[in-house]
Amino acid sequence: MSELDLKQVSAEIEAEAETRRRQDREIARLEHDIEQAWADIAESKASPQAVDEDGDLLDQAANLAALDPHVPIGSRRGLRGVKWLIRKLSYWYARFLTDQFNVFAGVLIRHLRNVETRLNRLEGAAGPLADSAVPAGFGVLDNPPEPSASLVSQVAGLAGSGPCLVLSGGEGAIVEAISERGISTHGVEQDPDRVLAGLRRRIDIRTGGVLAHLVSAEDGEFGTIVLTGIVETLPLKDLIGMVNQASLKLKKTGRIVVAVADPALRARVDAELGSGLGISPITWRHLLEQAGFDASLEPCPDSRITEIVVAQRTATRGQS
């Protein structure tokens, strides 16, 4: 029996594989798609994101994604040739699978990098509580008292279409009054004792941060958003973010009602503790007008809150 010519067998296998790749359009299309996808996500060595052995976890994962289908064949004579033949026989199939895995891993790495970048931006935008941009009295000022009957009645009368969101809901007086007008309404309150008091009266009050709840809502979900209560004690940065988020969460002809006390009317202790916290109704009106609303000030007979801001967005402005 003549000795097997491994090189000739390998050449024949390569030729047959190449012929099949040229003749089978589906294989050619898949290979092209894989090569194109890999070219799109592969990073060059000159890229600032080029990986190295001492990189972070994502960089190491990116390195691991570059799998090598060439298994070692050793150096022992005879056995080396058999291993080399087996490797050649399975080379094309292994390379095809490896390319697909590399594309998937590369896309996953890119997605994780995007998530990491977005998280860093969010953390930078939020900033720590000790940041100099946050007033020193943040979290020290007492929560505003429950709204009076006159304020509750007027806010309920100013509410537009539903669904309605009340931030913050307190014990639920405003939520209850608006619901009695046939409008689907729920409130969010940070004080667990007030939430419990509202739930005992079968009012839809939910616990949580007012801004976080607003951010997590669906765009265009509400017809009316009422801002009151704890909103009086938030820093300007949070209030601007609240206006932006409320604008997104409103329907095209939605309405925002702001019922807050003027910080200039605070007593001396509250004024010092609340320095930099809350803004006046006239400033609320200015911010809402800048956001594209038609805003006005409505007089209120309440002893604390003398003016209520009503901001309406028309369909024309909402689409512009």
Side-chain angles (χ1 to χ4, degrees), residues 122-160:
L122 287 174
E123 290 176 354
L129 292 180
D131 194 284
S132 58
V134 178
F138 181 58
V140 177
L141 195 66
D142 291 337
N143 291 341
E146 287 295 302
S148 65
S150 59
L151 178 64
V152 170
S153 177
Q154 185 166 357
V155 170
L158 293 172

Side-chain angles (χ1 to χ4, degrees), residues 200-273:
R200 285 172 177 166
R201 295 162 53 202
R202 301 295 188 269
I203 300 175
D204 189 356
I205 294 292
R206 307 171 190 181
T207 185
V210 292
L211 186 54
H213 185 87
L214 189 60
V215 170
S216 63
E218 296 290 336
D219 290 355
E221 181 177 349
F222 302 105
T224 303
I225 295 178
V226 177
L227 303 178
T228 186
I230 197 70
V231 173
E232 295 183 16
T233 66
L234 296 180
L236 178 60
K237 180 175 65 175
D238 290 350
L239 298 179
I240 293 176
M242 186 168 288
V243 170
N244 295 333
Q245 286 297 320
S247 180
L248 292 174
K249 310 310 176 183
L250 277 179
K251 297 179 180 179
K252 292 182 179 179
T253 56
R255 175 180 297 183
I256 296 178
V257 179
V258 184
V260 296
D262 192 335
L265 302 179
R266 289 171 177 163
R268 181 170 182 176
V269 174
D270 287 345
E272 292 178 352
L273 291 176

